[in-house]
Every structure is written in C-alpha cells, then in structure tokens.
Amino acid sequence: MKESLEALSTKEYLDNNKDRFLQELMDLLRIPSVSADPAFKGDVLRAAEWMKEKFEAAGADNVEVCETAGYPVIYADKIIDPSLPTVLVYGHYDVQPSDPDELWDSPAFEPVIKNDRIYARGSSDDKGQMYMHVKAFEAMLATDSLPCNIKFCIEGEEEVGSDNLETFIRANKERLAADMVLISDTSMLSNENPSITVGLKGLSYVEVEVTGPNRDLHSGTYGGGVANPINTLCQMIASLKDDKNRITIPGFYDKVVELTQAERAEMAKAPFSEEHFAKELDVEEVAGEDGFTTLERLGIRPTLDVNGIWGGYTGEGSKTVLPSKAYAKISMRLVPNQDYREITELFTNHFKSIAPKSVKVEVRPHHGGMPAVTPTDSVAFQAATAAFEEAWGKKPIPTRDGGSIPIVSLFEDVLGLQALLMGFGLDQDAIHSPNESYGLFNYYKGIETISLFYKHYASMKK
Ligand code: BES
Ligand code: MN
Ligand code: MN
C-alpha cells in the first residue's frame, strides 16, 4: 500500500481524489461564516473548528485555533527541514453577508453545482480559493513531494477589515517567520489569459450621518422651509466629484504615484475588452475619471463610491415625511502612496466643511487598509510564472486589481515578507454579489498550479 502511494504522482493523487475535494468544499460552504453579522457567530466559530479538523486530516502539525479579540486565526504547519525555504499561506474562512437573499437562484449556503460551477456564498471569495491550498498541501504530503516548509495562517475577519490580525501577527512573528506569503484571494483576467495580481488598492471606509431638524416632520407643513438632510446629503456627495470625475477633496491626490507612460503602455497590453466589460454589466457605456482607460481606472487610480445610502421612509407605499436624519457609507479605494488614515482625515475635514449651517454632520471611520504593490522580479513571481506555464500552457500577465486585502502591506511591514497574489477567481464569479460561484475548472486547476508553484519555488530558491 505504502509503495503504491509513493509511486503516485501529485497529479494522479489529485485526479483520484477530485470528488472528495469537491464534497469537502461543499461542506465548508454550508457553514454560513458571515463575520459581519453577530447572528452568525456560532457558525463562524464552527467554520474555524472545521478547518482545524481538515488541517489535521491533511497531515499538518501544530494545528491550532488561535483566539484573538475577535474571530480566531487558524494556524497549521509542516516543517520538513528547517534549512529549506518556508512558504506562509494566508486566506480567510469568513464570507460576506448573503443579502439580498431573494436575488439568489438557490440559497446562498446550500451549494449546488450547475454548468460546471459551484454556486454558494464564499465559493470563490475565499473558501474555494483558500481550500485549494489545503488540498494541494494534502496531495504533496501524501505523494511525498512537498519540497519546502509550509505554514498556514487562515483568518476569520477579512471581510470586516482584519481588525485583530495585526495584533496576532505582531505577537507571533517567530511562529510566522517565512520566506514569502502565498495568497489566493484575487481574480485572473480569464481562463484563456491567466494573470497574477501585482497591485491591490488601499481602503478608507467611512459612514456619514447628516442631521436636519430634531425630529421627523410633516413634509407638507415643513417642506421647503427646513433643510431636508437627505437632499443635503445628496448634494454634498455629488460635489465630491467634478465634471471630469476627479475627486474634489483638497489634498486627495497629493501622494498618488503617477505611472510613467512606459508603465501605462505595458498595462495596456493586457487583453481586456471594454466592450465585453460593459456588456457583461448591461451598461451602455463605461464611466470614470477623464484621461484614463478602464483598466487604469480600476487598477491604478484612487476612487470614491457610495456603498449605501438611507434615511426617511423606505417601506411599502408612501409616507409624507421630512426626515430628521440621512446616512451614507462611503468607500475610497487608494493607490500607492496614499495613507488611509490621512485620507480619512482629509475626507472628514472636507465633508464637514461643505455642510451648510442648516444641518449637522458626523463622520465615523470604519476600517481601512494600505495599498500594496508586489514585485515581479522575485523568485516567487518567477516560480509562479513557471507553474502557470506548466499548468495552463501560458505565461501569466501581471495586473493591478481594484480590490483590497489590507493584511498584504502588514505582512511586509511586520514580518518583512513579500506576498505573491496567485488568485484563480474570475469576474464572473460575482464575489460579494448574489449567485456567487466558482468554476470547478479553476478549483482543480488551481490546486494543480499551487502544487507546481512549490516545486518551482523550492528549486529556484536553492
Ligand atoms: N478577496 C477580496 C479582495 C479582492 C477581490 C481583491 C478581487 C482583488 C480582486 C477580499 O475578500 C475583499 O473583499 N476585501 C475587501 C476589503 C476589506 C477591508 C473589507 C474589499 O476589497 O472590499
Ligand atoms: Mn477575499
Ligand atoms: Mn471579499
């Protein structure tokens, strides 16, 4: 038995265990580990315990569900030889809320397979992508082909800003010491054009509250004579961008690193169809900052978006009311070298300064994070390129993404480690949206690519 196992290649092992790998992911997807909503606390904790069991079953050592001030971090490792390189794998087991639930074709936490895709909240972001690493690890270990040391750090608060992870990594510097961080929590251009993310945006997220009169009023008796905070809020928000779609907050662009013409020309080589992009989203035309292409707007320019806005009467039918309060949640996506703390302060000062005397304004910062750019001249990048060439028959293209993973810059600052963002998601996965899904092709191909990455990394790193 032992002999036949050793004779098995990692690829054969993956093929032989395909169905089980999928069933396990579906089990994980059935746990609604929504970190944003306290109602799911028990489920988030259950997902952490589930991960622990799977790490143990895969053959990891030192598996621990590590307490934090919030949801636990799962640590696991396999040190085969301290003189070999060590890869730290990061991922997250928490997911976004599933709402609006009525827009899902099947319940968010009852995974189903349709058209070779697995539909469920977290299937792509990030349970599917994170679990590929556990399975690649299992396959390498079982076939005696793990070529370097592995450490896992899987958190449960990524979708709410990773508030307690910084404390955890600061307190566990030794335990997390490694040569690089490997993360699959981003997307690729397409399955025909695999890519590696080399840039992520930073984030400043704030909530604003605008108060007009001290109570809700009759909109006929008072309307026209008292500022309506919803109208005022809308005017204030509209003024945050000019007619060129540039953000009007003074100082907002001061630290933005502009790309050179050569860098922009390089970026423009990525196979991207603006027409296809617009069509996928059912919009007549794209929109954004003047003077930049869609890829540039998404990847290298800072942005400001209202994520939610509410106030007054939103129930059935009509109620004639001039509300006392209006609210909005606003995100600003940042690029190197913008600091989210500074931007939050600039926003707060500006937003208060543009408020008319007829209302009071409060700005409450939520979470934030720094942008990150990862090198393309590293051994990790070269190893990933070789892995993609072997598994996909194509050289991966470096791209910059509009999403944020705030912990990436902290790994660099606290542990001195560069990350490699080897994501296997696609835009069609609809992460954070109803009907999130993940291609089975990507799940299996990803596991294979990850295994190949280790092979190349270990041999190149020598
Ligand atoms: N996996 C995403 C980030 C991502 C998605 C990066 C697609 C690149 C491409 C991550 O789970 C996420 O959603 N991050 C949040 C930030 C966080 C502070 C809430 C985000 O980008 O909104
Ligand atoms: Mn994610
Ligand atoms: Mn996410």
PDB file of all heavy atoms in Angstrom, residues 92 125-126 158-159 185 405 432, ligand 2:
ATOM      1  N   HIS A  92      -8.824  33.396   4.002  1.00  0.00           N
ATOM      2  CA  HIS A  92      -9.839  33.660   5.018  1.00  0.00           C
ATOM      3  C   HIS A  92     -11.038  32.718   4.900  1.00  0.00           C
ATOM      4  O   HIS A  92     -11.434  32.349   3.790  1.00  0.00           O
ATOM      5  CB  HIS A  92     -10.273  35.129   5.041  1.00  0.00           C
ATOM      6  CG  HIS A  92     -10.889  35.669   3.777  1.00  0.00           C
ATOM      7  ND1 HIS A  92     -12.256  35.737   3.598  1.00  0.00           N
ATOM      8  CD2 HIS A  92     -10.341  36.198   2.653  1.00  0.00           C
ATOM      9  CE1 HIS A  92     -12.522  36.301   2.414  1.00  0.00           C
ATOM     10  NE2 HIS A  92     -11.373  36.589   1.820  1.00  0.00           N
ATOM     11  N   ASP A 125     -14.684  33.571  -3.006  1.00  0.00           N
ATOM     12  CA  ASP A 125     -14.079  34.511  -2.032  1.00  0.00           C
ATOM     13  C   ASP A 125     -14.462  34.111  -0.619  1.00  0.00           C
ATOM     14  O   ASP A 125     -15.517  34.490  -0.144  1.00  0.00           O
ATOM     15  CB  ASP A 125     -14.563  35.919  -2.375  1.00  0.00           C
ATOM     16  CG  ASP A 125     -13.978  36.987  -1.464  1.00  0.00           C
ATOM     17  OD1 ASP A 125     -13.018  36.690  -0.735  1.00  0.00           O
ATOM     18  OD2 ASP A 125     -14.490  38.116  -1.491  1.00  0.00           O
ATOM     19  N   ASP A 126     -13.636  33.432   0.131  1.00  0.00           N
ATOM     20  CA  ASP A 126     -12.352  32.931  -0.313  1.00  0.00           C
ATOM     21  C   ASP A 126     -12.254  31.449   0.001  1.00  0.00           C
ATOM     22  O   ASP A 126     -11.204  30.848  -0.094  1.00  0.00           O
ATOM     23  CB  ASP A 126     -11.253  33.736   0.415  1.00  0.00           C
ATOM     24  CG  ASP A 126      -9.834  33.323   0.034  1.00  0.00           C
ATOM     25  OD1 ASP A 126      -9.591  33.063  -1.152  1.00  0.00           O
ATOM     26  OD2 ASP A 126      -8.992  33.227   0.935  1.00  0.00           O
ATOM     27  N   GLU A 158     -11.483  38.796   7.577  1.00  0.00           N
ATOM     28  CA  GLU A 158     -11.023  39.575   6.419  1.00  0.00           C
ATOM     29  C   GLU A 158     -12.126  40.484   5.886  1.00  0.00           C
ATOM     30  O   GLU A 158     -11.885  41.644   5.545  1.00  0.00           O
ATOM     31  CB  GLU A 158     -10.530  38.642   5.299  1.00  0.00           C
ATOM     32  CG  GLU A 158      -9.653  39.339   4.261  1.00  0.00           C
ATOM     33  CD  GLU A 158     -10.428  40.101   3.204  1.00  0.00           C
ATOM     34  OE1 GLU A 158     -11.641  39.821   2.989  1.00  0.00           O
ATOM     35  OE2 GLU A 158      -9.844  40.999   2.574  1.00  0.00           O
ATOM     36  N   GLU A 159     -13.334  39.959   5.831  1.00  0.00           N
ATOM     37  CA  GLU A 159     -14.425  40.729   5.230  1.00  0.00           C
ATOM     38  C   GLU A 159     -14.904  41.872   6.119  1.00  0.00           C
ATOM     39  O   GLU A 159     -15.744  42.668   5.705  1.00  0.00           O
ATOM     40  CB  GLU A 159     -15.599  39.800   4.870  1.00  0.00           C
ATOM     41  CG  GLU A 159     -15.266  38.725   3.841  1.00  0.00           C
ATOM     42  CD  GLU A 159     -14.973  39.256   2.431  1.00  0.00           C
ATOM     43  OE1 GLU A 159     -14.884  40.484   2.250  1.00  0.00           O
ATOM     44  OE2 GLU A 159     -14.835  38.415   1.524  1.00  0.00           O
ATOM     45  N   ASP A 185      -6.663  34.957  -3.311  1.00  0.00           N
ATOM     46  CA  ASP A 185      -7.865  35.692  -2.885  1.00  0.00           C
ATOM     47  C   ASP A 185      -8.122  36.842  -3.854  1.00  0.00           C
ATOM     48  O   ASP A 185      -8.652  37.877  -3.478  1.00  0.00           O
ATOM     49  CB  ASP A 185      -7.653  36.198  -1.447  1.00  0.00           C
ATOM     50  CG  ASP A 185      -8.934  36.716  -0.810  1.00  0.00           C
ATOM     51  OD1 ASP A 185     -10.028  36.324  -1.258  1.00  0.00           O
ATOM     52  OD2 ASP A 185      -8.841  37.515   0.140  1.00  0.00           O
ATOM     53  N   ILE A 405      -6.783  43.878   0.110  1.00  0.00           N
ATOM     54  CA  ILE A 405      -6.503  42.879   1.143  1.00  0.00           C
ATOM     55  C   ILE A 405      -5.511  43.564   2.081  1.00  0.00           C
ATOM     56  O   ILE A 405      -4.303  43.471   1.900  1.00  0.00           O
ATOM     57  CB  ILE A 405      -5.919  41.572   0.554  1.00  0.00           C
ATOM     58  CG1 ILE A 405      -6.790  41.052  -0.615  1.00  0.00           C
ATOM     59  CG2 ILE A 405      -5.813  40.501   1.629  1.00  0.00           C
ATOM     60  CD1 ILE A 405      -6.243  39.800  -1.289  1.00  0.00           C
ATOM     61  N   HIS A 432     -19.130  38.799  -3.544  1.00  0.00           N
ATOM     62  CA  HIS A 432     -19.901  39.788  -2.772  1.00  0.00           C
ATOM     63  C   HIS A 432     -21.311  40.002  -3.346  1.00  0.00           C
ATOM     64  O   HIS A 432     -22.055  40.809  -2.800  1.00  0.00           O
ATOM     65  CB  HIS A 432     -19.195  41.153  -2.685  1.00  0.00           C
ATOM     66  CG  HIS A 432     -17.904  41.115  -1.911  1.00  0.00           C
ATOM     67  ND1 HIS A 432     -17.378  42.234  -1.295  1.00  0.00           N
ATOM     68  CD2 HIS A 432     -17.041  40.113  -1.631  1.00  0.00           C
ATOM     69  CE1 HIS A 432     -16.239  41.913  -0.695  1.00  0.00           C
ATOM     70  NE2 HIS A 432     -16.013  40.625  -0.895  1.00  0.00           N
TER      71      HIS A 432
HETATM   72 MN    MN B   2     -11.328  37.567  -0.109  1.00  0.00          MN
END
